[in-house]
């Protein structure tokens, strides 16, 4: 295991995965009754965000542990696919707010970052 193998792309993927994981614990919307989190408002779209974060973590783990570049390259392809899907899910949820939501909270902005 060598951390020196991590390039800027893998570090960015790790940072993005950590942001999504933290964003899933924060409130995303605010309505008149209180704050709403991703778990109560997303439905199946939360699975897309979790898959994107897990794919990015798998990319970092494959890069650090594997000696040959085959598995990290495959992990990069899959993490890009899942990352784009998660990004689309986050953008849709930011643009399409749930019922009675009056504002966005920190979780939504952190997931987009």
């Amino acid at each position: 295991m060598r951390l020196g193998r991590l390039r800027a792309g893998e570090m960015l993927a790790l940072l993005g995965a950590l942001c999504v994981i933290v964003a899933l614990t924060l409130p995303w919307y605010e309505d008149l009754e209180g704050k709403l989190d991703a778990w109560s408002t997303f439905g199946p779209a939360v699975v897309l965000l979790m898959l994107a974060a897990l794919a990015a973590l798998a990319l970092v783990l494959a890069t650090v542990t594997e000696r040959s570049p085959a598995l990290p390259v495959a992990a990069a392809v899959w993490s890009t696919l899942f990352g784009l899907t998660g990004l689309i899910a986050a953008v849709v949820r930011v643009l399409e707010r749930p019922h009675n939501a009056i504002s966005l909270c920190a979780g939504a902005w952190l997931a987009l970052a």
Side-chain angles (χ1 to χ4, degrees):
M1 183 187 300
R2 288 188 44 215
L3 293 177
R5 292 183 183 162
L6 292 178
R7 298 178 304 242
E10 286 90 3
M11 293 298 286
L12 187 61
L14 180 62
L15 180 66
L18 293 176
C19 284
V20 168
I21 291 168
V22 170
L24 289 175
T25 64
L26 295 175
W28 279 56
Y29 307 103
E30 186 173 7
D31 64 358
L32 298 175
E33 298 172 359
K35 297 189 179 203
L36 304 168
D37 61 355
W39 300 100
S40 62
T41 58
F42 263 39
V46 75
V47 174
L48 296 174
L49 288 174
M50 289 174 26
L51 282 174
L54 288 175
L57 292 175
L59 168 65
V60 171
L61 184 65
T63 302
V64 169
T65 59
E66 289 295 319
R67 290 183 184 215
S68 71
L71 188 60
V73 168
V77 170
W78 284 104
S79 66
T80 301
L81 174 72
F82 286 124
L84 286 174
T85 306
L87 175 67
I88 291 170
V91 167
V92 165
R93 292 309 296 170
V94 165
L95 295 176
E96 182 185 325
R97 296 180 187 170
H99 304 293
N100 301 327
I102 55 176
S103 68
L104 292 171
C105 293
W109 298 115
L110 187 61
L112 282 178

